[in-house]
Amino acid sequence: MAGDSKTAFLAGAAEGAPGPAHAPASLPAHIPAHVAIIMDGNGRWAARRGLPRAEGHRRGVEAVRRAVRSALDLGITYLTVYSFSSENWRRPATEVADLMGLLRLFVRRDLADLDANGVRVRIIGEREGLPGDIAALLREAEERTAHNTRLTLVVAFNYGGRQEIVRAARALARAVQEGRLAPDAIGLDTVAALLDTRDIPDPDLVIRTSGEQRVSNFLTWQTAYSEFVFIPDLWPDFDHAAFAAAVGEYQGRDRRFGGLGAQAR
């Protein structure tokens, strides 16, 4: 919800909800191991239909469930969704309450289904200061699904990329101050080991819906070499065809990581 709107995750999604038309992508080549999604456009989706924002968020949750099914079908190993940013607390109290309600509904209705389908839930973001029942729900989602290996659903909740780096910097500063770490020993791996995603690979592909083309404080460190695909669809309209088309576009990219790509050799 760092942009127009990103929803909490997975609650009672309707099967077969209509989505925009996309040419189906052919996916015979390499599939990205980790796809991250900035889910933008719930509010605009509702406004265009004369509906309350809460209905946009509810329909956005349905799109999250479709995205999880698509990730499973495509053989993606990690799917990260930007569900609630550090800045989203600035939203009207009624909207924040609606989003927290969707989170509670998720645990009641969908956690068992995720578990049965081999989905592990991981939460990244700041836990300190969260309401007690919300913190408990996040722990329950992680603990109940910790044994699963088919897909890891990483939920960025109360998350900000810059804030994550600041937390890592503070930890490094304390280690240096206490004599446990020499300043010259700090490197890329040292910093990465202190991030929320320390045991999660960096995203290969980042998808943002709604036509906006910015990262909105999402995985600031981790997306340094990610491929980005920006699509015009609003998040509640995101479906399997849109997901497959974005992956197909990724497959056509020449990833160079600062070196010479295959086309230049």
Side-chain angles (χ1 to χ4, degrees):
M1 300 182 57
D4 177 57
S5 44
K6 293 188 300 299
T7 160
F9 49 112
L10 300 188
E15 296 289 341
H22 289 271
S26 176
L27 300 170
H30 62 289
I31 296 293
H34 184 177
V35 175
I37 305 180
I38 302 173
M39 307 178 293
D40 197 6
N42 292 347
R44 277 168 283 176
W45 185 93
R48 290 176 185 179
R49 292 160 175 78
L51 299 171
R53 287 179 66 86
E55 179 61 16
H57 292 312
R58 190 189 70 80
R59 292 294 295 267
V61 165
E62 296 174 4
V64 175
R65 191 173 185 183
R66 291 196 299 271
V68 171
R69 290 199 301 269
S70 293
L72 289 167
D73 291 343
L74 293 169
I76 290 164
T77 308
Y78 291 86
L79 175 67
T80 297
V81 293
Y82 202 5
S83 69
F84 193 86
S85 77
S86 303
E87 291 76 25
N88 286 152
W89 296 106
R90 303 171 187 168
R91 296 280 177 97
T94 53
E95 184 171 348
V96 172
D98 287 339
L99 292 168
M100 296 303 109
L102 288 174
L103 172 60
R104 295 180 179 96
L105 191 61
F106 153 72
V107 174
R108 289 197 296 269
R109 291 187 178 179
D110 287 272
L111 191 56
D113 185 61
L114 287 173
D115 189 25
N117 282 282
V119 178
R120 181 185 184 189
V121 177
R122 286 284 310 278
I123 312 297
I124 61 173
E126 180 60 62
R127 306 286 183 101
E128 186 175 351
L130 288 177
D133 68 320
I134 295 298
L137 289 171
L138 299 180
R139 285 195 303 272
E140 179 183 352
E142 288 188 310
E143 291 171 1
R144 179 166 179 173
T145 63
H147 61 286
N148 293 329
T149 59
R150 188 179 175 197
L151 170 70
T152 298
L153 174 63
V154 184
V155 180
F157 182 84
N158 194 27
Y159 176 85
R162 289 181 172 180
Q163 291 88 334
E164 179 186 28
I165 294 170
V166 167
R167 290 196 300 273
R170 287 173 176 165
L172 290 170
R174 285 193 294 270
V176 170
Q177 185 179 47
E178 295 167 3
R180 295 183 285 109
L181 181 67
D184 290 345
I186 298 173
L188 296 177
D189 291 342
T190 320
V191 176
L194 292 169
L195 299 177
D196 296 350
T197 56
R198 52 191 164 271
D199 57 347
I200 297 170
D202 291 343
D204 300 294
L205 168 64
V206 178
I207 302 168
R208 181 170 186 146
T209 59
S210 87
E212 302 291 350
Q213 298 186 20
R214 56 180 179 271
V215 296
S216 298
N217 202 21
F218 180 51
L219 298 177
T220 307
W221 175 279
Q222 297 87 344
T223 57
Y225 284 101
S226 300
E227 296 294 323
F228 285 78
V229 172
F230 300 101
I231 64 175
D233 311 74
L234 300 177
W235 176 246
D237 291 327
F238 189 80
D239 60 7
H240 181 77
F243 203 147
V247 171
E249 184 171 339
Y250 163 85
Q251 291 173 316
R253 303 278 179 89
D254 183 16
R255 303 187 74 193
R256 297 184 293 276
F257 300 98
L260 292 178
Q263 296 174 2
R265 295 193 185 107

